Structure formats: C-alpha cells, structure tokens
Amino acid sequence: GEDVEQSLFLSVREGDSSVINCTYTDSSSTYLYWYKQEPGAGLQLLTYIFSNMDMKQDQRLTVLLNKKDKHLSLRIADTQTGDSAIYFCAENGVNRDDKIIFGKGTRLHILP
Amino acid sequence: ETGVTQTPRHLVMGMTNKKSLKCEQHLGHNAMYWYKQSAKKPLELMFVYNFKEQTENNSVPSRFSPECPNSSHLFLHLHTLQPEDSALYLCASSQDYYEQYFGPGTRLTVT
C-alpha cells in the first residue's frame, strides 16, 4: 500500500538551516503537505505543494519536490527555538481523495 | 471561536465508562475526520465524514462510535474502552478532502 517515510530525528544549531526529508511511494500523489506539531497540540498545516510544482517558498520555508524520485523536502532557514517540534510529511493520492497518508514525523531538536 | 475546536482537552475514564468527544469546525468545510495518535505509531485515520455521510471507517473497533449531525460538528462516542485506547484523539476538517486543519486534540487516558 501507499507509504510515507521520514527520518525520526534531526538536530540543528540555532541559526542554521534545517532540512527535513520525506519519501513516498504513490506516484499518483496530487497534494503533498508539511504539518508541524508542537508539544501538547494538534497538527498545524505549514505548507503544501501540488504535484505539478517543483518548489514552493513561503518566508523561511522552502519545499522542494522531486517527483521522479518521489522525494519531498522542507527547508527551514535561520532555525529558531520556536521551530522545535515534530514535522509530518503527508500526501493525497488522486485515487483515494479522502485519505491523507502521514509519515511518522521527524522530531526537530534545536541546539543552542 | 476560530478554526477547529475540541472538547474536552483531557479525559480520564474507566473501562466501564461512557463518554463522548466533541469537535466543531468554524471553517465552513464539508469533510471532518477523527484520527488517533499514539506514542511511536503513525497517525491513524479512524473515520471520515463528507456532508454528514461516513465515507471511511478504517476498521475501527465498535467501542468507538462516531456521529456527525451536521457539517460543523463531529462526535466520537466511547464505551468500554481498553487501556491501549489511551492516546491523543485529533479531529480535522477540510474542504473537498484537501488541506486538513486539525484541532488541538483530546488527550484520553483509560484506566
């Protein structure tokens, strides 16, 4: 079945860029998402990209999509302590509109 | 209230209790979802409703019973739960299944 994989942990120094990577298996994916979850909170939709796009930039966030390799990345520029959270990659497929598949989440730890 | 709200935020219940979780969305969306989030497991989709009709039931045990009286409200009725049902239960809504917006969740502990 469809699957979304991401590494579980990432440590980055404050002020550096963070790059969180994700791979997925469904070649019919239409929307790809990044969600952020802070402790004790629900998931916050950070950004999304359509499958016909290669890149999307939104302030400190840059999403890159390599559709050929089914690879999605989220780059956070100038990482701050407030960026410490779990980041989930997710995708919709055109044949299963009502079901978004989520990865297990990458915990981003900020080093002083 | 804005976005997606959930009540209660925390719930402790015994295995013989009956309780309900409530979700309300103020975004004018037509689809609503229940998810279960346990430690060390991926987010699990439980139920999907579109225009009040259930479109997905992801093999959820019958001790969880959803109710969607209208497009803005979603309930999850709980009865005779097991300790392994302890988790964060998240509600989400979307328009036409895209860009799901999540509530803050209900932290459920079954004793």
Side-chain angles (χ1 to χ4, degrees):
Chain A
E2 303 85 9
D3 196 18
V4 175
E5 296 281 342
Q6 46 184 136
S7 55
L8 295 181
F9 298 100
L10 176 66
S11 291
V12 173
R13 270 194 204 288
E14 190 175 357
D16 287 351
S17 291
S18 306
V19 180
I20 303 171
N21 294 301
C22 167
T23 57
Y24 58 97
T25 58
D26 188 354
S27 56
S28 71
S29 295
T30 49
Y31 281 63
L32 297 114
Y33 309 88
W34 284 105
Y35 283 85
K36 175 184 181 183
Q37 186 177 33
E38 297 182 48
L43 276 67
Q44 174 196 354
L45 178 61
L46 275 182
T47 186
Y48 63 90
I49 189 168
F50 298 111
S51 58
N52 61 357
M53 298 168 65
D54 297 325
M55 186 183 89
K56 181 178 181 181
Q57 187 151 5
D58 182 3
Q59 299 182 342
R60 291 192 297 123
L61 305 179
T62 303
V63 178
L64 294 177
L65 175 61
N66 182 326
K67 201 172 178 184
K68 173 176 166 289
D69 294 338
K70 300 192 189 72
H71 182 268
L72 183 74
S73 68
L74 173 69
R75 179 177 178 268
I76 305 172
D78 186 26
T79 308
Q80 304 297 309
T81 53
D83 296 323
S84 181
I86 301 175
Y87 291 82
F88 292 89
C89 173
E91 56 91 17
N92 274 105
V94 68
N95 296 321
R96 45 174 177 81
D97 280 346
D98 64 347
K99 194 170 181 177
I100 289 182
I101 305 294
F102 286 83
K104 292 182 181 178
T106 298
R107 185 179 295 275
L108 177 62
H109 177 60
I110 314 302
L111 301 167
Chain B
E1 292 279 13
T2 58
V4 181
T5 58
Q6 291 186 242
T7 54
R9 294 293 312 275
H10 300 273
L11 178 62
V12 179
M13 61 186 286
M15 289 191 282
T16 57
N17 291 160
K18 286 185 180 182
K19 296 285 184 184
S20 295
L21 310 184
K22 179 183 174 183
C23 174
E24 184 173 359
Q25 60 98 357
H26 309 268
L27 300 167
H29 289 162
N30 56 12
M32 296 188 77
Y33 311 76
W34 280 118
Y35 286 88
K36 177 183 178 182
Q37 187 177 34
S38 310
K40 301 179 183 177
K41 289 180 80 173
L43 206 58
E44 299 174 70
L45 178 65
M46 299 175 73
F47 302 103
V48 181
Y49 278 83
N50 183 257
F51 287 112
K52 304 185 296 178
E53 299 297 321
Q54 190 179 117
T55 60
E56 181 92 21
N57 177 336
N58 215 18
S59 303
V60 180
S62 59
R63 57 186 184 269
F64 294 92
S65 173
E67 179 191 358
C68 189
N70 54 59
S71 294
S72 300
H73 294 85
L74 185 65
F75 295 89
L76 188 63
H77 303 300
L78 316 170
H79 64 99
T80 59
L81 294 192
Q82 304 298 310
E84 61 264 27
D85 297 322
S86 298
L88 182 68
Y89 287 85
L90 292 163
C91 174
S93 73
S94 71
Q95 184 64 26
D96 299 329
Y97 300 130
Y98 299 109
E99 298 177 53
Q100 292 182 19
Y101 289 84
F102 284 78
T106 295
R107 173 70 61 189
L108 173 67
T109 303
V110 181
T111 59

